[in-house]
Each structure stands twice: as C-alpha cells, then as structure tokens.
Amino acid sequence: MTRFESAKEIYARYGIDAERALNLAAGKPISIHCWQGDDVVGFDNPDGGAGNGIQTTGNYPGKARNFEELKADFLKAASLVPGKKRINLHACYAIFTQENPWTDRNKLEYKHFAPWVAFARENGLGIDFNPTCFSHPMVKDGLTLSSPDEDVRRFWIDHCKASRRIAQQIGEELQDKVMNNVWIPDGYKDTPADRLSPRKRLKDALDEIFAEECPNVIDCVESKFFAVGVESYTAGSNEFYTAYAATHPNVYNLMDAGHYHPSEPISDKISAMLLYFQYVPLHVTRGVNWDSDHVVSFDDETREICKEIVRSDALDRVLVGLDFFDASINRVAAWVIGCRNFEKALLWALLQPDDELKAMQDRGDFTGRLMLQEEAKTLPFADIWAEYCRRAGVPEGREWFEIVKQYEDEVLKKRG
Ligand code: RNT
Ligand code: ZN
C-alpha cells in the first residue's frame, strides 16, 4: 500500500473522499498575477518603476526587464505549481513594438495585448485584466478617478474604459469571461475636509466607465480601508464599493485579504457576499500590519478563506486572484511559494469533515465541533498533497527549490 492509499483510507474513516478533493482542487482556476515577476514595474515606463500609489520594497537581483523575461519567469514558476491557472495582467504590461509604438494609457488597445493572448493560448491559460491607475504622472496629489481636477479624472476614466474594451476583446478571443478589476489608490494622508465629494466623483466616474456593454467582462472594484500615505481616508472603501456593486448589475466588490484591519479577516465576509452576489472576487495575499502584499503562506486565514469557498459550495463563484509582490527574495521562488500555498490551502479545505462539523454545529454540539476541527488538522494531508503534485507533474516537496536555484544561476543572475 502506498502512503497515498493509506492516507486515503484514513480520510475515508472521517467520511472524506480524497479522490473527490483531488479532482475539485485540480479543476479550480487560480489567477496568477504577472506583477510578482518585476515588482509591478510593467513595460510602459521601464525607468520609472512602481510609485505613485503603490510600493515594492527590496532589490533582489534578477527581476524580469521585458516581455520575454517575464514570460519565461512566469512559465518557470507555473511549471512548479499544481492546478489550473490564469494569468492576471495589468495595463502597464502593454507590449510596444515598432508597429505598435508606445502610447499612453488612455489610448491603449487590444493590439497591445494580443501577444499576451497568444502566450495564454500556447500555455492553456485564462487571462484577467486590470487598468493601472498608479505609477503614472497623471496621478495628481495621489488621486485618479476621484480627483477634483477634471483633466486627471478624464484621463483615468478613458484609461479604465480602454481597459474594459481590451478585457472584452480578450474574452472574445479566448471565448471566456475576463475579470477587469479597477483598483485606485485615491485617498488622503490626513483628516479630510470633505469625504463626500471625492466619493461622489468616483461614483460618477465609475458610472461612465461601466456604461458600455461588455458581455465578456466581469467588472470588479477593489476596496481598501487604508495604506501607507493614505492613513486617514480611502475613497474606494468597502462600504462604498459594496453599495456600488449592489446597485449596479455585473459589478462586484473585490476583497483583498490585506486591505482591512489586521484583525478583520475577509474569510468572514465571503458568506455574506455570496448571499447577494453572483461572484465574489478575491485577492488572496498576506497582510502584515499595514502592508497588504506579503507572499501567501499556508496560514490560518488562507485556509479559512478556502474553507469558506468549499463549505459554501462556491468554487465557481469565488474568483481567486493572488496579489503579492516581494522584491527582497527570489521572485520566481516567491511566486512558487505563494501559489503552492494557496493550492495547498484549497486542497486542505477540500479535505475537511464539513458535513459532520455542520451537523454538530446545528445540534449545538460545540465541544464535538472543536474536537473534530482540531483532530482534522493532523490527518495525513501531506500524503494527499504529494499525490496532487504527482498527478499534476510538479515536484512534491522542496525539490522544486533546486530547479529555481539552477534557474537563478543560469538565467536570473545574468540579467543586468
Ligand atoms: C493595491 C491593490 C491592488 C494592487 C495590484 C497591483 O493595494 O491590492 O490589487 O496590488 O493591482
Ligand atoms: Zn489587491
């Protein structure tokens, strides 16, 4: 008997079907963010780097400097992660060539992303999209869509419209639905004199952005409470976007795990949102104090998020995107660690004795519920995970790191 077979038997004693868990995990697509590969720099302003609303820290050598390098790094990372994948693009990753020279963000078109679509097709990936409303001189006083300056607002409205059209065409090309997620950094460092007007301007801007029919697009707006530099006020708060989404068909509030109070987990919000919305889009990341973007860990909250998705029978309604960027460690390894951890948490959640736990809760057996939750933690999960990796053709354990280190020596270290 193999370790997997023995583990499967132990799980069966708890009423858990390991084969079913393996199949469901393998079928759930995860949108992997391209921006971990180059610290959210993109291709439209290579000397500029991230800034104006977003921050990465660290200067580990070897970041991807262009389309070819980013594709290669992404594929290297993806080859070490089990499960179904999408690639999450930002508008700043537009591809400029001699035929399609640089153009500003308000004028971007599908053609600037056609090479990404070819890449996705070649590698069996879905695509998701994001307008890039940061790291650009038109971010004025930290504001974009909520700015009192009409030219600033116009620029970003046009950019968001362009992004939606691009997402729509990507969806048509791939015969798929494409998420287009609007995140803006707009907020104030210190106590605002007027909280209402920026939100009113943001609301009007969104109405214009979403006016055009885009049947292949799932429109998302990403909420946030505060960040470094905008400690006192963020225009696109959770209440603002939840209410906006509730009153606008096909618009969804995207919840990022690092965007709320450190003790305010998004795992608790998923069920509430599922009762009212067709889709619940997430950015799975790891908040650490005031920062939202650490590499995803196999931690309690990531597992709780996955348990909520599984227990709510919402694998096809909770849209999972990853969103972390760490420039202080090997970027390919960061991708692999974060993606594998999400996959692990998902598989782990699919291996919980949910039916029995729910029954215990409903008959008021809270002692039994706690007992079983705790006993389930030490079931032989590692053997099922190893089988999941084996079936996906990726390394089961730490061997993947040798592959990344070799890639670092042969490829990453040779970059300027
Ligand atoms: C920032 C948001 C946003 C970005 C990406 C790059 O706080 O989380 O999702 O991380 O769009
Ligand atoms: Zn995010």
Side-chain angles (χ1 to χ4, degrees):
M1 197 190 248
T2 64
R3 288 181 59 146
F4 169 64
E5 282 160 354
S6 141
K8 196 161 115 174
E9 238 178 66
I10 296 169
Y11 273 100
R13 273 183 244 148
Y14 280 72
I16 300 162
D17 182 347
E19 289 292 344
R20 180 175 176 272
L22 288 167
N23 290 335
L24 286 173
K28 167 73 183 156
I30 306 303
S31 198
I32 302 177
H33 52 313
C34 75
W35 52 90
Q36 163 57 42
D38 74 337
D39 314 337
V40 212
V41 172
F43 307 143
D44 67 347
N45 180 21
D47 328 310
N52 256 347
I54 207 145
Q55 236 183 346
T56 40
T57 47
N59 53 1
Y60 199 87
K63 82 167 146 216
R65 296 163 301 180
N66 52 51
F67 186 38
E68 293 309 315
E69 291 178 355
L70 190 60
K71 281 193 295 186
D73 293 1
F74 183 91
L75 287 179
K76 179 52 76 178
S79 73
L80 302 171
V81 175
K84 200 165 162 182
K85 301 163 192 85
R86 303 171 66 82
I87 182 165
N88 205 356
L89 301 177
H90 243 284
C92 62
Y93 293 85
I95 315 293
F96 301 118
T97 58
Q98 218 133 49
E99 311 85 81
N100 295 320
W102 183 89
T103 174
D104 213 345
R105 292 186 190 164
N106 55 341
K107 303 252 165 60
L108 286 171
E109 291 175 50
Y110 171 77
K111 64 183 181 191
H112 301 112
F113 295 89
W116 279 115
V117 173
F119 172 72
R121 270 209 191 100
E122 276 157 34
N123 295 286
L125 304 163
I127 295 185
D128 292 300
F129 203 74
N130 304 258
T132 310
C133 304
F134 50 78
S135 309
H136 191 282
M138 279 306 269
V139 181
K140 296 262 170 72
D141 295 330
L143 304 174
T144 64
L145 294 175
S146 79
S147 169
D149 180 332
E150 221 180 298
D151 294 340
V152 170
R153 237 163 44 238
R154 173 54 39 208
F155 178 84
W156 292 110
I157 290 171
D158 288 344
H159 173 53
C160 289
K161 283 177 159 174
S163 290
R164 265 183 103 235
R165 284 191 200 121
I166 292 162
Q168 170 61 25
Q169 201 169 338
I170 293 172
E172 287 168 18
E173 295 290 334
L174 296 178
Q175 297 189 335
D176 193 13
K177 292 242 180 190
V178 172
M179 180 198 289
N180 186 62
N181 174 47
V182 177
W183 175 72
I184 58 165
D186 298 35
Y188 293 111
K189 181 181 177 72
D190 222 332
T191 315
D194 177 4
R195 294 183 141 90
L196 185 64
S197 304
R199 289 188 171 135
K200 171 80 171 74
R201 289 189 290 264
L202 175 55
K203 174 177 179 289
D204 293 344
L206 293 174
D207 284 348
E208 185 179 338
I209 291 164
F210 297 135
E212 200 172 301
E213 281 290 312
C214 289
N216 290 70
V217 174
I218 298 174
D219 285 304
C220 299
V221 281
E222 181 175 355
S223 50
K224 190 163 185 169
F225 181 49
F226 72 98
V228 174
V230 287
E231 289 83 2
S232 300
Y233 173 83
T234 294
S237 62
N238 197 36
E239 291 71 18
F240 175 88
Y241 281 139
T242 303
Y244 190 90
T247 50
H248 293 77
N250 193 42
V251 180
Y252 302 93
N253 176 18
L254 184 146
M255 301 188 296
D256 180 301
H259 280 190
Y260 306 99
H261 282 291
S263 60
E264 186 185 351
I266 63 163
S267 52
D268 182 61
K269 302 178 191 290
I270 293 170
S271 52
M273 301 296 273
L274 277 171
L275 288 172
Y276 296 96
F277 295 99
Q278 174 64 24
Y279 296 116
V280 177
L282 302 181
H283 271 178
V284 178
T285 178
R286 176 165 50 106
V288 176
N289 292 323
W290 54 82
D291 183 63
S292 63
D293 309 299
H294 282 61
V295 178
V296 168
S297 165
F298 184 63
D299 56 11
D300 285 346
E301 172 59 0
T302 309
R303 291 201 299 260
E304 201 62 26
I305 289 170
C306 291
K307 284 198 302 192
E308 283 302 307
I309 299 172
V310 169
R311 295 191 287 223
S312 312
D313 198 16
L315 280 166
D316 50 357
R317 289 174 59 206
V318 178
L319 308 176
V320 175
L322 303 180
D323 182 17
F324 51 82
F325 29 100
D326 190 336
S328 72
I329 58 177
N330 180 307
R331 293 170 187 80
V332 176
W335 249 328
V336 178
I337 294 167
C339 295
R340 282 174 71 98
N341 280 335
F342 184 80
E343 288 287 332
K344 256 183 212 171
L346 179 66
L347 183 63
W348 192 84
L350 284 160
L351 289 162
Q352 298 307 299
D354 288 330
D355 294 341
E356 200 180 344
L357 286 167
K358 280 182 196 172
M360 283 168 157
Q361 175 167 315
D362 286 347
R363 62 172 185 266
D365 182 5
F366 304 134
T367 315
R369 184 182 63 183
L370 181 60
M371 172 283 295
L372 188 54
Q373 281 170 339
E374 294 303 311
E375 287 302 324
K377 285 181 180 170
T378 45
L379 290 175
F381 172 69
D383 295 328
I384 312 280
W385 167 253
E387 178 69 10
Y388 185 53
C389 291
R390 216 173 294 138
R391 290 187 188 182
V394 306
E396 293 163 33
R398 61 184 293 177
E399 321 82 75
W400 68 260
F401 193 53
E402 287 309 315
I403 300 172
V404 172
K405 285 214 304 228
Q406 192 186 343
Y407 187 71
E408 176 165 39
D409 287 338
E410 290 170 5
V411 180
L412 302 179
K413 277 189 183 155
K414 300 199 169 126
R415 293 179 187 163

